[in-house]
Amino acid sequence: MIQNFDYHVPVKLVFGEGSINRAGEMAVQYGTRALIVTTGDYFVETGLVRRLQEILKNAGIDSLHYSDVDPNPLNTQIDAGAALAKKEGVDLFIGLGGGSAIDAAKGMAIVRGHERPIWDFCIGDDVAEITDKTFPIIAITTTSGTGSEATQWSVITNVETKEKPGIGCEYTFAKVAIVDPELMETMPREITASTGFDTLAHAIEAYTSTVATPVTDAMCEQSIRLVGRFLRRAVNDGSDREARNGMAYANTMSGFAIAVGVVTTCHGLGHAVGGVCGTVHGETLAAMTPQAMRYSMRALPDKFRNIGMFLRNEYANEGPDRLEDSVREVERLIADIGLDNGLASQGVKEGDLDLIADNTMRYMAFNLDIDMMNPTKEDLLGILRASM
Ligand SMILES: [Fe+2]
């Protein structure tokens, strides 16, 4: 019997090799002057920014480029990008890159529309409401992780307060998500591994959250199967087109799943760790996911058992209890892609853990609420210590 559910993700998805060539015909529907947002100038060096500007120009769209965005985008950088956009009369934001560039573009579209600093929309009792004044966003993803092109979520870091909340609502979805696996062929091995693991973490958490739906479950299952088949291959040989294509689709499925099924305890902790210690998102998740699974799996044994089966691309479970097998399967994958580094080796200190747990309880509470286990601070500390 299928449970009642809603599913609404208003993103036009353009998937496939060469799909970046359609950016102009998409952009022209939403604006006349675009700000292309990237993290640093890597895509200037590869020629991708120029190529995109040509594609846009051929469709009659003017464009500027803004690259002062960190891998964990800062609130100050988003405000600065939005100020430039206002001065230049920009009416469309294009995030070109991984989640950082796309999240920053979303943030700038919010600030440009409301003329208030982005941090006003992030944390606090009188947090500002994001409305339909938000400018249109197009997401062109160059990594196969984060899912930001498919979701309403934007993750923003404040270095002064050491906080890294996620914000988003129905107005912060990209109008169009362009997923072109060809753009991913030059992605370095470490980024392939960390973003690929983020894809898996999204699928595991959306699949096991209390707001999971039958349709997001199907996406998560497909995503986990594809990660099991293709992530090792994509990490070992970046030019493996079939593996890149499979991971791009896995990430797309995970992204559309977390737009509705959201993410749970491990991502809640992951944001707080990143805020306090500036770690790499996917690497932090790899350190904590096995322990977070061990913590939550007894509450939902069937689904957690399935995760290992999906990763092995099996279609039936054998044996009475394969819960721990599921975790071991995830741990094998983490080791094979070179991410078996505990939090301590990523710069997290024993003395940081209390603040991380407090921050998670304070501003990632929603993600804890939708975890079957509804963890306490002590539970969070237990996961963190076991992940060191
Ligand atoms: Fe993530």
Side-chain angles (χ1 to χ4, degrees):
M1 179 101 169
I2 301 296
Q3 71 186 69
N4 296 7
F5 70 92
D6 292 0
Y7 182 84
H8 178 69
V9 182
V11 178
K12 181 182 176 77
L13 172 65
V14 182
F15 183 95
E17 293 186 355
S19 55
I20 192 172
N21 296 318
R22 296 179 58 198
E25 69 177 271
M26 296 297 144
V28 79
Q29 299 172 45
Y30 300 102
T32 56
R33 190 159 164 78
L35 186 68
I36 299 169
V37 181
T38 64
T39 53
D41 285 324
Y42 176 72
F43 291 128
V44 174
E45 288 151 28
T46 66
L48 185 59
V49 170
R50 180 180 289 269
R51 182 180 166 201
L52 176 59
Q53 287 191 298
E54 283 296 315
I55 292 166
L56 294 171
K57 195 170 155 198
N58 289 339
I61 303 279
D62 248 4
S63 63
L64 300 81
H65 175 222
Y66 182 84
S67 63
D68 184 21
V69 176
D70 280 14
N72 288 320
L74 307 181
N75 59 318
T76 47
Q77 296 170 330
I78 287 164
D79 290 342
L84 173 72
K86 184 183 175 192
K87 185 169 145 241
E88 294 285 344
V90 162
D91 57 5
L92 172 65
F93 291 82
I94 301 181
L96 173 68
S100 314
I102 297 168
D103 286 6
K106 289 176 183 172
M108 289 173 201
I110 296 168
V111 175
R112 170 93 173 91
H114 297 79
E115 307 212 344
R116 294 180 68 162
I118 194 65
W119 203 246
D120 284 2
F121 300 89
C122 289
I123 289 183
D125 294 336
D126 55 349
V127 68
E129 192 183 345
I130 303 168
T131 71
D132 61 359
K133 290 181 184 164
T134 305
F135 273 65
I137 303 145
I138 290 180
I140 304 176
T141 181
T142 61
T143 67
S144 38
T146 84
S148 183
E149 67 282 1
T151 75
Q152 65 276 56
W153 311 119
S154 169
V155 180
I156 292 155
T157 296
N158 184 324
V159 278
E160 279 178 27
T161 64
K162 295 194 168 191
E163 292 168 320
K164 185 183 172 186
I167 58 170
C169 67
E170 62 180 298
Y171 305 113
T172 50
F173 285 102
K175 299 288 184 201
V176 184
I178 295 177
V179 182
D180 183 343
E182 272 179 18
L183 304 182
M184 298 159 198
E185 280 179 25
T186 55
M187 188 175 22
R189 184 186 163 92
E190 308 75 57
I191 298 179
T192 303
S194 63
T195 56
F197 190 81
D198 192 22
T199 291
L200 178 64
H202 292 160
I204 291 173
E205 293 176 47
Y207 183 59
T208 56
S209 87
T210 60
V211 292
T213 66
V215 71
T216 54
D217 283 354
M219 291 173 176
C220 292
E221 172 175 348
Q222 180 70 358
S223 177
I224 298 169
R225 287 187 188 281
L226 289 166
V227 169
R229 276 183 72 188
F230 292 122
L231 180 54
R232 290 175 178 87
R233 276 173 54 181
V235 168
N236 289 334
D237 176 9
S239 65
D240 183 335
R241 280 177 60 191
E242 189 188 21
R244 289 293 195 196
N245 192 283
M247 282 306 301
Y249 187 59
N251 174 46
T252 303
M253 287 293 93
S254 277
F256 276 91
I258 63 172
V260 169
V262 202
V263 282
T264 57
T265 296
C266 196
H267 262 74
L269 281 167
H271 283 222
V273 171
V276 172
C277 304
T279 50
V280 175
H281 180 62
E283 293 177 16
T284 311
L285 295 171
M288 297 191 298
T289 293
Q291 302 306 333
M293 288 177 73
R294 287 193 174 99
Y295 169 73
S296 296
M297 65 190 185
R298 302 277 163 204
L300 208 58
D302 287 347
K303 280 193 157 178
F304 276 97
R305 205 179 285 123
N306 286 347
I307 290 165
M309 180 181 81
F310 297 158
L311 274 173
R312 291 186 298 271
N313 211 17
E314 293 171 0
Y315 284 86
N317 261 313
E318 310 260 321
D321 185 345
R322 295 187 61 168
L323 277 173
E324 182 59 24
D325 281 6
S326 256
V327 185
R328 297 232 172 91
E329 199 65 42
V330 172
E331 287 177 328
R332 259 194 293 278
L333 176 66
I334 289 168
D336 289 348
I337 61 173
L339 291 187
D340 48 344
N341 307 306
L343 291 178
S345 69
Q346 298 177 37
V348 181
K349 309 251 179 324
E350 198 68 40
D352 296 327
L353 300 187
D354 203 63
L355 176 63
I356 290 167
D358 278 340
N359 282 358
T360 309
M361 299 293 291
R362 185 164 54 80
Y363 71 82
M364 298 303 289
F366 175 68
N367 302 85
L368 306 180
D369 288 345
I370 60 167
D371 192 301
M372 289 283 175
M373 297 292 283
N374 208 344
T376 63
K377 181 180 171 186
E378 268 317 300
D379 296 332
L380 298 182
L381 284 169
I383 295 168
L384 286 165
R385 287 192 195 107
S387 306
M388 288 292 277

